[in-house]
Amino acid sequence: AISPCIRTKAGGLSAGVAILYKPFLNAIAEWTVLESRAISVMFRLKGMGDFVFTSVYGYCSEGSNGTSNRQLWERLADDSAKVGKPFLWGGDFNMDVGGAKQLVGQFNLPAVVKHTTRNTCITHNGSSIIDYFVCHKKMTLFGGDEPSIEYEGLMSPHASVSL
């Protein structure tokens, strides 16, 4: 599932998201939540039922105060409510964990933010945790305890995060 980058009003390229999965995982639906920013795949797993994984790329330099990131979270929450299945959102939210937890509460999402204890993005301006997961409460056991950092230093300035 791919939602490619798009041209911004300023003429630059913006985002682009993808979900790569092996065919045996039994994906039953794919859709774009927000062009170039969020894409979802519904999986059907034996013994677990249906759940939705969404790959997210938030708007840079906005944090939780920016209108665009708030609208992105509204779209994610609306989409998850319409689908009505447990969900797992993951990606580069370009927003700190505190802001994400605040939005989980404001949108009354039945979810928790799962993040590392170490920084996931390190730049010349500083470091922060902006790559994490928003995990539906029915998915918390599936998601494990704490995400881990994988392949550190290979995808600068970000570190890959996995559950």
Side-chain angles (χ1 to χ4, degrees), residues 68-126:
S68 297
N69 274 336
R70 184 168 180 80
Q71 289 172 345
L72 171 61
W73 275 69
E74 280 182 44
R75 291 284 293 271
L76 291 166
D78 288 347
D79 184 71
S80 293
K82 286 177 189 167
V83 173
K85 301 290 182 186
F87 58 85
L88 184 62
W89 305 341
D92 174 359
F93 288 85
N94 279 312
M95 171 189 309
D96 66 26
V97 171
K101 288 180 178 180
Q102 193 174 38
L103 288 175
V104 164
Q106 287 175 6
F107 289 120
N108 201 24
L109 294 169
V112 296
V113 178
K114 291 193 167 245
H115 60 89
T116 63
T117 54
R118 294 177 43 220
N119 293 321
T120 60
C121 181
I122 300 169
T123 66
H124 65 282
N125 292 334

Side-chain angles (χ1 to χ4, degrees), residues 25-157:
L25 286 177
N26 198 19
I28 58 173
E30 298 178 358
W31 65 94
T32 299
V33 179
L34 184 61
E35 187 179 26
S36 85
R37 293 290 173 177
I39 191 162
S40 294
V41 176
M42 184 183 300
F43 294 97
R44 178 167 290 152
L45 298 181
K46 187 175 180 179
M48 189 176 159
D50 298 347
F51 76 95
V52 177
F53 179 78
T54 303
S55 178
V56 179
Y57 184 69
Y59 293 88
C60 296
S61 303
E62 282 204 5
S64 57
N65 297 325
T67 304
S68 297
N69 274 336
R70 184 168 180 80
Q71 289 172 345
L72 171 61
W73 275 69
E74 280 182 44
R75 291 284 293 271
L76 291 166
D78 288 347
D79 184 71
S80 293
K82 286 177 189 167
V83 173
K85 301 290 182 186
F87 58 85
L88 184 62
W89 305 341
D92 174 359
F93 288 85
N94 279 312
M95 171 189 309
D96 66 26
V97 171
K101 288 180 178 180
Q102 193 174 38
L103 288 175
V104 164
Q106 287 175 6
F107 289 120
N108 201 24
L109 294 169
V112 296
V113 178
K114 291 193 167 245
H115 60 89
T116 63
T117 54
R118 294 177 43 220
N119 293 321
T120 60
C121 181
I122 300 169
T123 66
H124 65 282
N125 292 334
S127 55
S128 57
I129 301 171
I130 59 174
D131 306 278
Y132 46 83
F133 298 92
V134 177
C135 190
H136 187 280
K137 290 185 177 179
K138 288 184 179 178
M139 301 286 295
T140 55
L141 292 176
F142 176 72
D145 293 324
E146 179 183 300
S148 60
I149 293 179
E150 307 287 335
Y151 310 111
E152 191 166 8
L154 298 177
M155 296 175 58
S156 185

